[in-house]
């Protein structure tokens, strides 16, 4: 869920500032405010505006005292695109917000429109962080948080399998968690996720990488073709291949020990240590180096450095699978 960054925890605070570029979290921040307002007054008037709809003078009209003292929520999206004159109006309003009115400003962060961002913070706005999730670990944390928020228990393997199967879209991840929570009794494990999302799991970039680092070239190529046919971006596949090979290299150079100890040392969850240990049996240091070179070449190829991204990926998959068998000759 979106996390609150200041001490104000009241969604009916005079001003809420939702900062970030993750659409799902921005929408949740808006829904939380509107739900709280309608719980307090079912007749709450909600105005949801884009930056170009909030012209100079519009905010004053929307927030002027009403004969019936009705509660209002005024939502301003893409606040960084407000005109200079409208920004002046908003800053003036921040200095003296109206009663029974909640202003919600959505801002991506960054340099554009930073003056308004700073002014809202200085005025003590309630701030909700809605950062874009760019790393697999962040998406894994999101899935775990979703299960906790629904009061459900899911194993680490199940959470990882769901991320591997669904991909990077938080809306789809949230929907999948909600479906599993509604349909499945007891603890949700990896087998349950596989049963629900087998087709997607087989088409995922991580399935391609897993089969490749295990030396199963034919299966990896089959998964690759399925992934590409279902719209998986080539860059996600090279990223998954790189992560898989790096995990092999990190674990092969680490000191022996229990999965929990290695997890702390390498920054991997214990269950992943066990999985990588099984995958690394045929690898050598030279094989890891060769595989990383092949993946780097494929990455360049899919980002415009080559004429045929699919061929570049096929070459990388075959090279990684061959490297996985280097210890066996």
């Amino acid at each position: 869920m979106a996390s609150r960054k200041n001490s104000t925890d009241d969604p009916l605070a005079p001003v809420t500032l939702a900062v970030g570029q993750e659409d799902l979290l921005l929408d949740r921040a808006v829904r939380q405010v509107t739900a709280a307002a309608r719980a307090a007054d079912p007749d709450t008037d909600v105005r949801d505006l884009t930056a170009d709809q909030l012209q100079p003078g519009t905010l004053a009209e929307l927030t002027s005292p009403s004969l019936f003292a009705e509660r209002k929520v005024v939502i301003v999206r893409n606040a960084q695109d407000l005109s200079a004159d409208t920004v002046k109006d908003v800053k003036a309003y921040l200095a003296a917000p109206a009663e029974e009115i909640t202003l919600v400003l959505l801002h991506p962060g960054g340099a554009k429109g930073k003056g308004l961002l700073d002014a809202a913070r200085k005025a003590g706005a309630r701030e909700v962080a809605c950062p874009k999730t760019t790393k697999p670990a962040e998406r894994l944390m999101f899935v775990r948080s979703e299960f906790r928020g629904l009061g459900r228990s899911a194993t680490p393997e199940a959470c990882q399998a769901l991320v591997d199967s669904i991909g990077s879209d938080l809306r789809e991840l949230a929907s999948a968690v909600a479906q599993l929570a509604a349909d499945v009794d007891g603890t949700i494990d990896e087998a349950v996720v596989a049963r629900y999302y087998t087709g997607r799991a087989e088409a995922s970039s991580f399935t391609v990488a897993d089969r490749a680092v295990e030396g199963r070239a034919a299966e990896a190529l089959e998964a690759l073709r399925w992934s590409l046919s279902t719209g998986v971006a080539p860059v996600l596949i090279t990223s998954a291949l790189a992560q898989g090979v790096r995990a092999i290299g990190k674990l092969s150079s680490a000191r022996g020990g229990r999965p929990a100890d290695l997890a702390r040392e390498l920054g991997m969850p214990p269950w992943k240590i066990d999985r990588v240990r099984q995958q690394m049996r045929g690898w050598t240091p030279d094989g890891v180096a060769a595989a990383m070179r092949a993946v780097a070449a494929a990455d360049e190829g899919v980002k415009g450095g080559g004429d045929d991204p699919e061929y570049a990926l096929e070459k990388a998959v075959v090279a990684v699978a061959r490297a996985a068998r280097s210890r066996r000759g």
Side-chain angles (χ1 to χ4, degrees), residues 24 28 133 138-140 142-143 146-147 159 161-180 197 200:
L24 173 66
R28 284 184 174 182
T133 56
E138 293 171 344
R139 292 189 282 275
L140 186 58
F142 172 80
V143 167
E146 290 292 289
F147 278 120
C159 294
L162 198 59
V163 172
D164 291 349
S165 301
I166 301 298
S168 60
D169 191 306
L170 289 199
R171 290 186 190 279
E172 293 191 21
L173 285 169
S175 177
V177 169
Q179 180 181 21
L180 289 169
Y197 299 101
R200 299 190 66 158

Side-chain angles (χ1 to χ4, degrees), residues 139 167-168 205-206 231-241 243 299 302:
R139 292 189 282 275
S168 60
S205 56
F206 287 98
V232 176
V235 68
L236 294 180
I237 298 173
T238 56
S239 175
L241 285 168
Q243 289 180 50
D299 190 57
V302 303

Side-chain angles (χ1 to χ4, degrees), residues 169-223:
D169 191 306
L170 289 199
R171 290 186 190 279
E172 293 191 21
L173 285 169
S175 177
V177 169
Q179 180 181 21
L180 289 169
D183 293 355
V184 180
D185 294 328
T187 298
I188 296 163
D189 59 19
E190 190 174 12
V192 170
V193 174
R195 188 163 68 246
Y196 271 72
Y197 299 101
T198 295
R200 299 190 66 158
E202 290 173 353
S204 77
S205 56
F206 287 98
T207 299
V208 177
D210 282 342
R211 299 297 85 79
V213 299
E214 290 162 3
R216 296 153 66 179
E219 294 176 45
L221 287 171
E222 181 181 358

Side-chain angles (χ1 to χ4, degrees), residues 109-133:
K112 187 176 182 182
K114 189 172 184 298
L116 178 58
L117 199 61
D118 292 341
R121 287 168 171 160
K122 186 176 181 180
R126 167 181 176 262
E127 186 169 344
V128 181
C130 305
K132 195 76 175 175
T133 56

